[in-house]
Amino acid sequence: MNAPAVTRTATELLNDKLILEKPLSDTSGQRRKRGLVLNPSAAHCLGLLIGPTEIEGCIVDCAYRTVVRKQLEGAFDAMKPRQVVQAAVSFVNRLRAQAPGDNKRCLGLAAVAPGLTDIAGRRCLACSTMPHLVGVQLADMLEKNLNLPVFLTTGSQAHLRAVERLDINAPANNMLFVFYSQGIGASLKMQGAYIRGKDNLAGEIGHMPVTDEPIPCGCGGTGCLEALASKAALARLARQAVREFAGSSLAALSEIKGDDVLKAAADGDRLGVRLTRDAFAHLARAVAGIAVCMAPDHIVFSHSISAAGDEMFQWLCAEIRSRLSGQLRDGLSISVSTINSHISSMGAAFMGLDLAM
């Protein structure tokens, strides 16, 4: 951007009161220099995530501070598309009502839709958890009912924005974010560019084959990382193995979940440690393989992986580093995100602000 364009943009933002002039004290000469700062109370942007069992949202002010977070649980995967939209609209209206008294101007809504997203077409292309939303013009329906500009994005892109803002505190040049939950996904940024790939499919590492064993995956394939290393996989494997480990803390549970296995590993439970290490070994191979291709400065895992405890996470880090050359290891940061909730909606709101500003 050249100097005239910068001046023109700054003037527009000043006129809209999205930024303010601030005197600078560390200056000399007759003409006092002035700096530009974001005006937190000028306006806000909304972030929204629509999922099969929850809708989450937040309000982010013009200084990129999250001022309100909300969540609504429900069986949205069992609702018709119009009912899902109505629930989302009602939720957003309640969210907007909680905006600070001096900040009622809304710049728009940035929404993360479930599954594979057609950003240009403003709709879902594919979604295994909410198949009834496939082809539905979600953004248009939300825009019509809310009377707000609506921007549709993907979860992977939203995650990157949130991690950059809240964990790294700076735009990352080369970063890999690994989302670890019932499924496994990744977000990539290379040479300052957010990587989406064909049809926004970049980062679907959960469906990377990691074994020749015919272990079925929800995608229809076999031997996928997600089928061996996700929380859902840990729960399945624990239920199969728990009878052989009568002394395990997991044996006392009527229903075993993935988080239970991770917690058991953190507590030193023999079965929990064995299953988690096996899963993390597969995860390390997959992550190291991606790191070899993209040479990241940062690898960040979602907060949920911290349930396994620091010792197990350090074991995972060591496994990843052992598969990288010295040059790739040098200066590489591997960490767990501090964001323990609303990562999708906050990241979406940050993206919305970037567009509006």
Side-chain angles (χ1 to χ4, degrees):
M1 187 180 288
N2 56 30
V6 171
T7 301
R8 184 170 59 252
T9 301
T11 301
E12 291 173 357
L13 292 173
L14 282 166
N15 290 338
D16 287 340
K17 297 183 179 180
L18 295 176
I19 60 175
L20 301 171
E21 286 188 302
K22 182 179 180 181
L24 297 176
S25 58
D26 56 340
T27 184
S28 60
Q30 294 182 342
R31 185 173 180 178
R32 191 174 182 83
K33 293 183 180 179
R34 303 180 71 83
L36 299 176
V37 296
L38 294 168
N39 181 9
S41 61
H44 64 264
C45 188
L46 304 171
L48 181 72
L49 167 70
I50 299 175
T53 59
E54 66 178 13
I55 293 175
E56 71 172 45
C58 67
I59 297 176
V60 174
D61 68 21
C62 282
Y64 290 84
R65 300 180 307 191
T66 303
V67 292
V68 179
R69 299 186 197 183
K70 287 293 178 184
Q71 184 172 314
L72 174 67
E73 295 183 355
F76 304 110
D77 53 349
M79 295 182 182
K80 295 179 179 179
R82 189 169 296 278
Q83 292 174 313
V84 173
V85 171
Q86 288 173 346
V89 168
S90 177
F91 174 83
V92 170
N93 284 331
R94 292 196 300 273
L95 184 68
R96 292 180 69 184
Q98 296 187 33
D102 61 345
N103 190 344
K104 294 297 185 182
R105 178 187 172 194
C106 183
L107 297 174
L109 169 72
V112 175
L116 178 60
T117 306
D118 177 6
I119 294 176
R122 297 159 62 84
R123 62 195 175 98
C124 294
L125 282 179
C127 183
S128 59
T129 57
M130 301 179 78
H132 52 293
L133 290 185
V134 173
V136 174
Q137 301 285 339
L138 269 179
D140 290 345
M141 294 175 73
L142 289 169
E143 202 165 74
K144 180 180 178 181
N145 283 275
L146 291 168
N147 195 29
L148 283 174
V150 174
F151 165 71
L152 206 61
T153 186
T154 65
S156 64
Q157 297 301 308
H159 296 159
L160 275 179
R161 295 310 207 286
V163 169
E164 283 185 306
R165 283 276 173 190
L166 302 176
D167 285 319
I168 299 177
N169 298 316
N173 200 34
N174 299 287
M175 182 173 74
L176 169 63
F177 175 75
V178 181
F179 185 74
Y180 184 78
S181 186
Q182 294 299 103
I184 300 174
S187 308
L188 303 91
K189 189 176 182 183
M190 296 177 64
Q191 295 298 300
Y194 298 97
I195 307 302
R196 292 191 175 95
K198 180 179 179 291
D199 293 332
N200 295 299
L201 283 171
E204 289 286 342
I205 66 169
H207 304 296
M208 178 189 296
V210 292
T211 181
D212 291 330
E213 294 182 36
I215 300 171
C217 178
C219 71
T222 59
C224 295
L225 176 65
E226 199 165 283
L228 289 162
S230 66
K231 286 186 182 181
L234 282 174
R236 185 191 74 248
L237 293 168
R239 288 192 289 267
Q240 293 171 355
V242 73
R243 292 180 183 177
E244 301 174 16
F245 291 81
S248 170
S249 60
L250 295 170
L253 301 177
S254 58
E255 181 184 359
I256 301 175
K257 299 179 180 179
D259 279 326
D260 297 325
V261 182
L262 294 177
K263 185 178 183 303
D267 293 339
D269 180 272
R270 194 158 59 95
L271 176 58
V273 169
R274 193 193 79 174
L275 292 175
T276 302
R277 280 200 173 182
D278 287 347
F280 280 11
H282 289 299
L283 184 59
R285 280 192 287 272
V287 170
I290 298 169
V292 167
C293 296
M294 64 172 292
D297 304 307
H298 305 276
I299 298 176
V300 183
F301 286 85
S302 60
H303 185 79
S304 57
I305 206 166
S306 64
D310 185 64
E311 183 177 343
M312 192 60 67
F313 181 71
Q314 293 306 321
W315 185 89
L316 171 63
C317 293
E319 285 291 297
I320 294 171
R321 292 182 186 278
S322 71
R323 289 172 167 80
L324 301 177
S325 66
Q327 285 182 309
L328 289 175
R329 288 197 302 267
D330 292 344
L332 173 63
S333 165
I334 306 178
S335 61
V336 177
S337 173
T338 60
I339 308 169
N340 60 8
S341 72
H342 293 75
I343 185 171
S344 297
S345 57
M346 287 193 296
F350 295 153
M351 293 179 73
L353 274 179
D354 288 344
L355 287 172
M357 301 280 277

